[in-house]
Amino acid sequence: MSTLRARGRIEGLPEWDRCAVMGVVNVTPDSFSDGGRWFDTTAAVKRGLGLVAEGADMVDVGGESTRPGAPRVDADEELRRVIPVVRGLASEGIVVSVDTMRAAVAEQAVAAGAVLVNDVSGGLADPAMIPAVAAAGVPFVVMHWRGFSKDMNNRAVYADVVAEVVAELHARVAAVVDGGIAPERIVIDPGLGFAKQAEHDLALVAHLSELRTLGRPLLIAASRKRFLGRVLAGADAAPPPPARERDAATAAVSAIAAHEGAWAVRVHEVRATADAVRVARAIEGAL
Ligand code: PMM
């Protein structure tokens, strides 16, 4: 089977002949890696358009920071941040994903033109999410998640992180299908950095083929995350570089993920990753 076919396709989304690039627009004052930079509608829409111009295939719009320790934002504020940006980008013909744990935000985002719901809790945070996505008939990202950001690091305890993440994702996919979302519309994501230490993230990236045994397209979101900071800091307790200096490292993961058959990678800076997935595609074509 070719990698292209193995990468999987998702009902309701365009099909790309390589790993797709999801650019990130965080409409938040406090996101882990780009917080505050796109915290107004006009700037956020412009940013999304810029990401597409640089080679993004879709844009993920979020209004709630999930950095470790982050408090929750209230639903009205999240709607106020996200919906106009979704509407603005969708009206330009962009494939828009909404990054939210709230059913109400997902529903209104779909009404505003979003075609994919990216829920970092995989439907666990809001019991209304799965029925809402099932009713909307849009694809759904099921990420591996063990609890809200404020204390998720306490849950980063694994005997075998790869086996446990695979088993927990398997259970979530079953629950999501039970809830009425078609299997052909489900994307899975190991949730790098969510209830995970650097060694857990590295082990998951090293074993993407095991995640692919779940039989669903795989989204990988390594962009600027702490584990890359840890790798770049080196061994002698030097401080990690700030998030914005982790884009080359992010592109390295993008190349690896594309080579391993990931369906898409989610990144804050698109240019290098757009090149990486195209190089991976060309190499695949030469096999
Ligand atoms: N990570 C963040 C936000 N949304 N969505 C998915 N599907 N997977 C992730 O790993 C993920 C996500 C946190 O990153 P950011 O706040 O730096 O964008």
Side-chain angles (χ1 to χ4, degrees), residues 24 26 31-34 60 66-67 99 118 120 141 143 189 191-192 194 219 221 223 225 266 268:
V24 179
N26 284 321
S31 254
F32 164 64
S33 53
D34 59 355
D60 190 40
T66 50
R67 77 184 148 71
D99 185 342
N118 173 25
V120 298
V141 177
M143 199 192 82
D189 179 335
L192 300 175
F194 286 80
L219 172 65
S223 187
K225 285 190 173 163
R266 176 186 181 279
H268 300 90

Side-chain angles (χ1 to χ4, degrees), residues 146-214:
R146 285 185 165 182
F148 290 104
S149 298
K150 68 175 163 28
D151 56 1
M152 68 180 170
N153 286 347
N154 301 336
R155 300 193 180 87
V157 180
Y158 301 88
D160 178 339
V161 66
V162 177
E164 286 167 57
V165 167
V166 167
E168 289 167 34
L169 273 175
H170 186 268
R172 279 318 296 152
V173 169
V176 165
V177 171
D178 250 19
I181 300 178
E184 302 73 37
R185 291 206 167 92
I186 295 172
V187 179
I188 55 167
D189 179 335
L192 300 175
F194 286 80
K196 288 161 197 92
Q197 302 296 344
E199 73 263 24
H200 301 133
D201 293 325
L202 290 167
L204 287 162
V205 176
H207 293 90
L208 294 184
S209 57
E210 285 176 54
L211 288 158
R212 290 180 61 218
T213 62
L214 288 165

